[in-house]
């Protein structure tokens, strides 16, 4: 019952993760906050749909079509589609028209539907055709680099490339790390110390806002409403 989710990391600098899932006997999930945007394809009752789903600044409830299959590419922070500014997609999505089992339309051209195994090849073509762009400074800063740029310039580049501020991305990523650790059985006090939260109320507020679960609920694997993709970063 719920969502069967499979995912893998990628060696492409443009891709954060590739995933696929199937729904069974579930009509709603908790969609956790995400600093990345996704290109998603799904099939439900013979109808194929596609959409660009933007970053999510907080957890929210999301409907799930029953007995549907999904495939998605989650793009790395700093990757964007210049013709579709990611800032317009925060907490939202843009439908891609005329999707079939074989193809879909993007930026005025027909594209063959990618799949779980050839996602990187598809992304390389997007880059060659100028559909995808990437700001390497964003990735470098998130890895801890300190480029010779003003704070204002950095913030402008972060918002342009991700739709979110650098602080928001770090808070979201930290909450996701905390949720994974708690699900693995790490005590909340250890999570607080390891990830730099001030205290237990600070952790609790972060989990509620970005994950939609309390620490107790994350430790309970029998929650009636599944979570969207949660993985180690």
């Amino acid at each position: 019952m719920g969502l069967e989710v499979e995912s893998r990391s990628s060696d492409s600098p443009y891709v954060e993760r590739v995933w696929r899932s199937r729904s069974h006997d579930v009509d709603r999930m908790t969609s956790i906050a995400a600093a990345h945007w996704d290109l998603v394809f799904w099939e439900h009752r013979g109808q194929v749909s596609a959409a660009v789903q933007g970053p999510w600044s907080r957890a929210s409830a999301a409907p799930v079509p029953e007995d549907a299959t999904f495939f998605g590419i989650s793009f790395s922070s700093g990757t964007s589609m210049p013709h579709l500014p990611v800032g317009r997609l925060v907490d939202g999505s843009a439908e891609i028209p005329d999707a079939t089992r074989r193809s879909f339309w993007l930026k005025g051209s027909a594209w063959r539907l990618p799949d779980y195994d050839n996602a990187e090849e598809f992304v390389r073509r997007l880059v060659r055709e100028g559909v995808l762009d990437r700001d390497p400074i964003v990735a470098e800063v998130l890895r801890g680099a300190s480029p010779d740029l003003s704070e204002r310039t950095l913030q402008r580049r972060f918002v342009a490339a991700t739709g979110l501020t650098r602080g928001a991305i770090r808070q979201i990523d930290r909450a996701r790390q905390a949720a994974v650790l708690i699900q693995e059985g790490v005590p909340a006090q250890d999570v607080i110390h390891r990830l730099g939260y001030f205290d237990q109320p600070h952790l609790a507020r972060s989990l509620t806002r970005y994950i939609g679960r309390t620490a107790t609920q994350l430790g309970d694997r029998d929650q009636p409403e599944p979570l969207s993709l949660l993985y180690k970063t």
Side-chain angles (χ1 to χ4, degrees):
M1 293 179 62
L3 286 174
E4 299 174 5
V5 182
E6 179 183 4
S7 74
R8 62 174 176 81
S9 59
S10 174
D11 58 4
S12 169
Y14 295 87
V15 178
E16 172 71 16
R17 206 156 192 89
V18 181
W19 58 272
R20 59 187 173 187
S21 67
R22 179 182 296 272
S23 62
H24 296 286
D25 298 325
V26 61
D27 59 8
R28 196 174 76 157
M29 70 176 181
T30 299
S31 181
I32 64 179
H36 310 282
W37 62 274
D38 289 45
L39 181 58
V40 183
F41 305 90
W42 67 98
E43 183 172 351
H44 179 233
R45 296 177 180 173
Q47 176 68 43
V48 176
S49 301
V52 178
Q53 295 186 345
W56 290 91
S57 63
R58 63 186 306 141
S60 62
V64 178
E66 187 176 355
D67 295 324
T69 57
F70 304 83
F71 159 69
I73 302 171
S74 182
F75 290 88
S76 60
S77 293
T79 300
S80 61
M81 289 185 179
H83 75 285
L84 192 62
V86 68
R88 301 178 186 175
L89 299 174
V90 175
D91 296 331
S93 63
E95 182 181 356
I96 295 176
D98 303 322
T100 70
R101 288 179 178 174
R102 294 180 58 84
S103 65
F104 68 102
W105 282 86
L106 183 64
K107 200 182 177 183
S109 300
W111 296 75
R112 184 176 295 276
L113 234 69
D115 60 34
Y116 190 78
D117 297 315
N118 70 10
E120 284 78 10
E121 179 183 343
F122 167 74
V123 168
R124 285 193 292 270
R125 185 185 167 203
L126 290 178
V127 175
R128 287 197 305 269
E129 297 294 329
V131 177
L132 277 184
D133 197 4
R134 180 172 178 267
D135 185 341
I137 293 294
V138 170
E140 290 173 11
V141 170
L142 290 175
R143 287 195 298 266
S146 300
D148 187 19
L149 295 171
S150 69
E151 182 63 26
R152 178 176 295 181
T153 298
L154 282 177
Q155 287 288 31
R156 186 168 61 247
R157 291 181 72 151
F158 263 81
V159 172
T162 71
L164 300 169
T165 66
R166 178 171 45 161
I169 291 173
R170 286 176 169 166
Q171 290 179 52
I172 290 169
D173 287 346
R174 180 168 64 167
R176 292 172 68 104
Q177 292 179 52
V180 169
L181 290 172
I182 290 169
Q183 285 189 330
E184 292 177 344
V186 177
Q189 199 60 42
D190 291 348
V191 173
I192 292 167
H193 177 73
R194 190 181 303 186
L195 298 182
Y197 286 100
F198 296 123
D199 51 25
Q200 193 139 353
H202 185 203
L203 171 63
R205 289 193 299 272
S206 177
L207 290 175
T208 300
R209 177 182 177 87
Y210 298 118
I211 308 299
R213 293 280 198 280
T214 64
T216 300
Q217 289 170 332
L218 284 167
D220 181 4
R221 295 306 180 95
D222 296 323
Q223 289 292 307
E225 189 174 291
L227 288 172
S228 60
L229 181 61
L230 183 63
Y231 56 87
K232 284 186 177 180
T233 56

